[in-house]
Amino acid sequence: IILYLVSRKASLKIFSWGYLDNITAIGPRTVGSPENEVLAVNYLLEQIRAIERESTDAHKISVDIQRPTGSFSIDFLGGFTSYYANITNVIVKLDPRNGAEYAVLSNCHFDSVPNTPGASDDAVSCAVMLEILNTLSKSSEPLQHAIIFLFNGAEENILQASHGFITQHEWAKSIRAFINLEAAGVGGKELVFQTGPENPWLVQAYVAAAKHPFASVVAQEIFQSGIIPADTDFRIYRDFGNVPGIDLAFIENGYIYHTEYDTSDRILADSIQRAGDNILAVLKYLATSDKLAKSFEYRHGNVVFFDVLGLFVVAYPARVGTIMNYITAATAFLYLSKKLLQPKTRGNIYIKFFLTLISWVCTLVTVLLVAVFVSVIGRSLSWYTHFYVSVFLYGTAAVAKLVLVHTLAKKFFYKNTNEQYLGDTFFDASLMIWSLALAMITRMGLCSAFICMLWVAFPLLAKLMIHKEFSQKGATMKFVMMYMLGMFVPYLYMMYLSWTVFEMFTPIMGRSGSEILPDVVLAGFIVVITVILSSYFINFIYLVKSTKTTLITLTTVFVVTLILVCSGIFFPYSSDAANPKPKRVFLQHTTRRFHDLGGNVVKSDSGIWINGFDYNGISHITPHVPEINDTIRTPCEEQAPFCGLPWILPVHFMFRKNWYLPATEIFPKRPIHFKVLSKELMPWNSVRLSFELSGPSHMSLYVRPHEGSALSRWSLGDGTPVASLGGDYFVFYSHGLQATPWHFWVELTAPEKHPDGIVSLAIAAHYFFGEDQKSPQLYALLERFPNWTFSSGWSCTYDLFVF
């Protein structure tokens, strides 16, 4: 009891709701806007000064405002280069009174994407950091190391502010570890989904300190595989600062992430309290750890980690996991070898092995065909608002197919075979599959192999305990109970992990682009989980007398659900005020001008360019706004980089279906100013073109060398041009307030004769805030969109030049 009270005393007091409410009350905080650069910054400084006035003598608080300018290249979203000017960071250092040589960093970002209040992403994390700063500063207990609180002002601009801090700020040199606070959803538990790299002691720190753990190396390996089209400041600190860290993110209710519904009232106090307790405890642990000072000495290998129902975390070095996995696999192979060495048994196990694999493949193919059919008839995402639909549709189809294949095998191939013998050999076949998977995944170096280890170790233990019951009659109840007990641990953990996976991935399917069939992805997940959960229960199909009732029930549920889905009764989106699940649509009122080599405008047009963020495109919107239909699909301007379209990011490969509704020309009050400063002939037949560009806070630069030319160097990043997917070059540019004109140069090798020029260069200017953001025509169109959409709109211009 005393230990519990002491631990509670050290935890964060109930969160001060005012911080979050006041930050989000500012409104959308887009980089370059007064809301982000002035109002949010002033509010943070005001609160920090108030905290400083009430701090104890045990600490020293230093505050700095950084406005860095810089450039870097990144392989995110197919690869592009980023340039930023005069963006904003608010940085606070909490030092022990006598100072400290080393520090731990806590990072949040106060900027938001356009048209959203950004409560979860990431105002709540900044509010928690303010509360942690307040709590620690009032403590009379001095810290061993400093804690740096970075209130990052340009994360949504693809990690620019963190790059400016870690590469340019003097305090960055003292940082030995970091905690990054992010969001992929609104509230709930905050998941540790990345650690390291290769710093097991950080995971151990989280295990020792976190009061409400929620962590998984599976999430880490999924995220780092690139399957999820997202990234965090973790990458910047890891790649450009060579600093190890922990990445946390809220994952619940990702349906309203990056929408207007991401408001402070949707984040429960329990979620914030939980996050505050965890982060405070881990920061305090790191700031008093002897290992922090020599963190680089503890960099040795990866670590396997996973929480058990949120109660505690299991963590051990990956090399230990490798040994455990191989020992487990070897034990299973040793058990199986006794039967495989017997000629009669060996053939039967191999047949069962391939029959099991065939049943899995048949199940996957069948369910995916159903998913493709549903997508082709225009009923994709029917489960988006009603998740149970996916279970009734794809889950029942998967189970029914598995049962059917084995029922047919039992009837036609094993009609006169002893049931207990069949059950025994099918168990061994499943064990062989899992053992092979365990060995192969371990050989690949994936820490997630621990899942296979659970599915080998516990079933094998159960089999050894009830070996006699497999071949004896009259002990059915005892056999079933012991068997289920042996499966309890892997089964329970797999259900828990499946919940986490679906919690993360289902909302992502509503913003995954027009090229991915979300039903196929979700159906694939369901089949995989069904196969895993049923792998050791296939033998029961051969032990029971009949599966007729099971098959009829499953087939009935599947057919009824399929009919209802085809009828359109399950509408994908919801405008429910308490739990909205909107369709995301982006609209850009665009004016485009295409110039020739002489600078003359050879083509110009204006329209509202429309992108639906999911596979359904605009099919559900057409009945409400008839002029938006498939007759206005956007044509690709083949001669222009990125099809002559004003992409804010190089995501063209994710959104190949878009629409262009003719509209009036726009005339921004802050148009771009672009001019050539010089043209220089360089050695080795190269040409250097220097430019000056000024305009709104967000611009995209696209470069396409003409045939025979090549972009060899430029003044961006590390000087080596990085091509985007498709071969064109993309530069994402942003600036804060009072930025000077952007000067840059590109250097190209060119053929001796180039009558059509050597390079096409285009600039898209994006107006995300202020009087230029939305034209009257765009406003009027947005008003007509149904209330189950989140339609984010802004104005932009696109200018193409040839040199």
Side-chain angles (χ1 to χ4, degrees):
I1 294 173
I2 291 172
L3 286 173
Y4 174 78
L5 292 174
V6 169
S7 69
R8 294 305 299 172
K9 185 177 180 182
S11 70
L12 190 69
K13 293 182 179 179
I14 191 65
F15 172 76
S16 174
W17 203 269
Y19 290 145
L20 178 57
D21 275 348
N22 291 334
I23 294 173
T24 54
I26 294 170
R29 301 170 301 283
T30 311
V31 171
S33 68
E35 289 79 8
N36 191 69
E37 310 300 327
V38 178
L39 298 180
V41 170
N42 287 346
Y43 176 76
L44 290 171
L45 291 175
E46 180 184 329
Q47 302 309 309
I48 293 164
R49 296 302 184 195
I51 291 170
E52 184 179 14
R53 287 193 294 270
E54 297 182 8
S55 64
T56 66
D57 292 337
H59 311 283
K60 179 175 62 177
I61 294 179
S62 306
V63 185
D64 188 37
I65 304 297
Q66 182 198 25
R67 291 196 167 87
T69 296
S71 180
F72 62 96
S73 295
I74 190 170
D75 61 3
F76 179 51
L77 295 177
F80 67 97
T81 299
S82 184
Y83 183 91
Y84 55 89
N86 213 41
I87 57 175
T88 307
N89 281 323
V90 177
I91 315 162
V92 186
K93 182 160 73 167
L94 182 70
D95 262 319
R97 176 54 59 182
N98 295 325
E101 185 177 358
Y102 304 109
V104 57
L105 171 70
S106 180
N107 178 78
C108 72
H109 67 90
F110 59 86
D111 67 312
S112 72
V113 296
N115 301 312
T116 70
S120 69
D121 189 27
D122 193 30
V124 64
S125 297
C126 291
V128 168
M129 275 175 42
L130 284 172
E131 195 68 68
I132 291 173
L133 174 62
N134 186 35
T135 301
L136 289 174
S137 68
K138 290 180 179 177
S139 170
S140 58
E141 181 183 352
L143 301 170
Q144 183 179 346
H145 308 291
I147 301 178
I148 296 174
F149 297 87
L150 173 57
F151 298 89
N152 165 333
E155 189 273 346
E156 297 295 358
N157 280 17
I158 316 300
L159 323 177
Q160 290 179 334
S162 55
H163 182 269
F165 170 76
I166 202 67
T167 59
Q168 299 178 39
H169 200 279
E170 59 178 346
W171 291 350
K173 299 173 184 176
S174 66
I175 295 171
R176 293 296 179 269
F178 70 88
I179 297 178
N180 183 48
L181 314 181
E182 257 297 349
V186 181
K189 297 179 178 181
E190 77 290 348
L191 172 67
V192 174
F193 65 98
Q194 286 192 99
T195 65
E198 299 186 346
N199 275 263
W201 72 277
L202 271 177
V203 178
Q204 293 164 2
Y206 179 83
V207 171
K211 300 179 183 300
H212 318 284
F214 186 37
S216 175
V217 72
V218 178
Q220 173 173 295
E221 292 184 340
I222 289 174
F223 189 83
Q224 293 182 349
S225 71
I227 294 174
I228 301 176
D231 220 327
T232 73
D233 287 320
F234 181 97
R235 171 198 280 258
I236 298 297
Y237 298 133
R238 178 194 67 195
D239 295 353
F240 293 93
N242 197 29
V243 181
I246 300 174
D247 215 358
L248 303 100
F250 293 107
I251 63 168
E252 189 174 289
N253 198 7
Y255 298 97
I256 59 178
Y257 164 79
H258 278 192
T259 74
E260 63 187 342
Y261 302 106
D262 184 12
T263 53
S264 60
D265 60 298
R266 297 184 187 276
I267 304 176
L268 299 179
D270 286 350
S271 295
I272 304 169
Q273 179 71 57
R274 170 197 165 86
D277 283 348
N278 282 343
I279 297 161
L280 172 63
V282 176
L283 275 176
K284 196 169 182 180
Y285 185 97
L286 292 173
T288 55
S289 170
D290 292 332
K291 290 183 178 180
L292 185 76
K294 300 178 180 179
S295 65
F296 295 107
E297 295 181 8
Y298 297 95
R299 183 170 183 167
H300 51 85
N302 291 316
V303 61
V304 179
F305 61 93
F306 56 94
D307 74 283
V308 178
L309 304 179
L311 300 175
F312 59 90
V313 176
V314 176
Y316 48 88
R319 61 182 183 279
V320 173
T322 299
I323 295 170
M324 290 170 55
N325 293 346
Y326 282 136
I327 289 175
T328 303
T331 303
F333 288 132
L334 183 63
Y335 162 79
L336 292 168
S337 66
K338 295 180 179 180
K339 298 182 179 181
L340 293 174
L341 291 174
Q342 300 173 10
K344 293 182 179 180
T345 311
R346 179 173 59 214
N348 285 326
I349 291 178
Y350 284 146
I351 291 171
K352 309 295 190 298
F353 174 86
F354 288 111
L355 181 57
T356 302
L357 289 180
I358 289 169
S359 71
W360 290 358
V361 172
C362 289
T363 300
L364 180 63
V365 171
T366 300
V367 177
L368 292 186
L369 285 174
V370 174
V372 170
F373 170 74
V374 168
S375 302
V376 168
I377 66 171
R379 298 304 181 193
S380 184
L381 292 166
S382 295
W383 39 264
Y384 192 63
T385 292
H386 316 280
F387 184 74
Y388 62 86
V389 173
S390 66
V391 178
F392 289 164
L393 183 63
Y394 302 124
T396 57
V399 176
K401 186 66 176 183
L402 275 174
V403 173
L404 178 62
V405 170
H406 288 283
T407 299
L408 293 174
K410 177 183 177 182
K411 182 177 180 179
F412 292 106
F413 298 106
Y414 303 112
K415 189 174 183 179
N416 298 316
T417 309
N418 179 271
E419 289 87 352
Q420 281 77 20
Y421 174 75
L422 281 175
D424 192 14
T425 51
F426 268 103
F427 175 94
D428 292 341
S430 294
L431 182 64
M432 181 186 294
I433 292 171
W434 276 111
S435 301
L436 289 171
L438 173 60
M440 288 189 295
I441 295 175
T442 302
R443 181 71 181 83
M444 292 166 63
L446 295 176
C447 294
S448 299
F450 79 89
I451 297 174
C452 296
M453 189 266 290
L454 296 178
W455 283 98
V456 172
F458 285 94
L460 178 59
L461 183 61
K463 176 69 180 294
L464 294 174
M465 290 173 63
I466 57 175
H467 176 70
K468 292 182 179 180
E469 279 75 9
F470 261 98
S471 57
Q472 291 179 357
K473 294 183 179 180
T476 306
M477 184 56 68
K478 180 183 176 183
F479 160 70
V480 171
M481 290 185 65
M482 293 293 289
Y483 193 85
M484 296 296 289
L485 187 62
M487 299 297 166
F488 179 75
V489 171
Y491 206 93
L492 182 64
Y493 183 75
M494 196 63 211
M495 293 290 285
Y496 177 64
L497 182 62
S498 300
W499 167 81
T500 304
V501 169
F502 284 119
E503 185 80 21
M504 291 177 62
F505 271 93
T506 305
I508 289 174
M509 293 297 98
R511 56 180 190 269
S512 58
S514 65
E515 304 308 296
I516 296 175
L517 277 67
D519 276 67
V520 170
V521 174
L522 189 71
F525 274 133
I526 289 175
V527 169
V528 169
I529 290 169
T530 301
V531 162
I532 291 173
L533 294 179
S534 66
S535 55
Y536 285 107
F537 290 90
I538 289 173
N539 51 345
F540 280 95
I541 299 172
Y542 296 88
L543 293 173
V544 298
K545 290 184 178 180
S546 174
T547 58
K548 184 177 179 180
T549 303
T550 302
L551 280 171
I552 291 174
T553 303
L554 291 170
T555 304
T556 302
V557 173
F558 165 71
V559 171
V560 170
T561 307
L562 181 61
I563 291 171
L564 292 174
V565 166
C566 293
S567 72
I569 194 171
F570 299 113
F571 189 70
Y573 315 106
S574 170
S575 59
D576 178 21
N579 191 23
K581 294 178 179 176
K583 176 180 177 62
R584 298 162 189 259
V585 187
F586 279 19
L587 300 93
Q588 296 169 234
H589 192 163
T590 306
T591 290
R592 302 189 299 176
R593 291 174 289 266
F594 299 82
H595 302 77
D596 63 12
L597 190 56
N600 305 305
V601 176
V602 293
K603 179 182 177 181
S604 66
D605 60 29
S606 294
I608 296 177
W609 185 44
I610 303 164
N611 277 280
F613 261 45
D614 62 47
Y615 182 76
N616 286 330
I618 47 87
S619 59
H620 292 85
I621 293 173
T622 301
H624 300 269
V625 190
E627 60 267 40
I628 300 178
N629 55 63
D630 281 332
T631 65
I632 59 166
R633 284 281 292 274
T634 312
C636 177
E637 299 288 345
E638 299 290 348
Q639 83 285 3
F642 292 92
C643 281
L645 296 169
W647 297 102
I648 181 62
L649 287 170
V651 291
H652 52 292
F653 59 95
M654 296 172 61
F655 299 90
R656 298 190 189 279
K657 303 185 193 80
N658 34 68
W659 296 262
Y660 197 68
L661 180 66
T664 58
E665 186 175 357
I666 59 171
F667 300 95
K669 294 182 179 178
R670 294 178 300 134
I672 66 162
H673 294 283
F674 179 65
K675 63 180 180 181
V676 181
L677 296 178
S678 65
K679 299 179 183 179
E680 302 174 70
L681 187 61
M682 307 297 288
W684 307 106
N685 224 20
S686 294
V687 177
R688 176 177 291 186
L689 304 172
S690 299
F691 303 97
E692 178 182 282
L693 174 63
S694 61
S697 62
H698 291 74
M699 292 185 282
S700 307
L701 173 69
Y702 324 98
V703 182
R704 173 182 289 182
H706 291 186
E707 187 175 354
S709 300
L711 183 60
S712 55
R713 297 176 59 219
W714 60 7
S715 58
L716 307 169
D718 62 1
T720 302
V722 173
S724 291
L725 203 64
D728 294 331
Y729 296 83
F730 188 102
V731 182
F732 179 88
Y733 168 87
S734 78
H735 70 70
L737 298 178
Q738 301 174 343
T740 58
W742 178 28
H743 294 103
F744 65 94
W745 53 263
V746 297
E747 196 168 297
L748 301 105
T749 55
E752 291 185 10
K753 295 181 179 181
H754 41 264
D756 296 323
I758 61 172
V759 64
S760 291
L761 188 148
I763 301 136
H766 300 271
Y767 298 88
F768 283 133
F769 56 86
E771 56 186 351
D772 287 333
Q773 181 182 5
K774 295 176 184 175
S775 65
Q777 192 171 357
L778 180 56
Y779 262 121
L781 185 63
L782 291 171
E783 287 293 319
R784 297 171 56 196
F785 272 64
N787 59 2
W788 41 262
T789 62
F790 168 65
S791 46
S792 181
W794 68 92
S795 298
C796 61
T797 60
Y798 177 96
D799 290 274
L800 174 73
F801 303 92
V802 180
F803 299 98

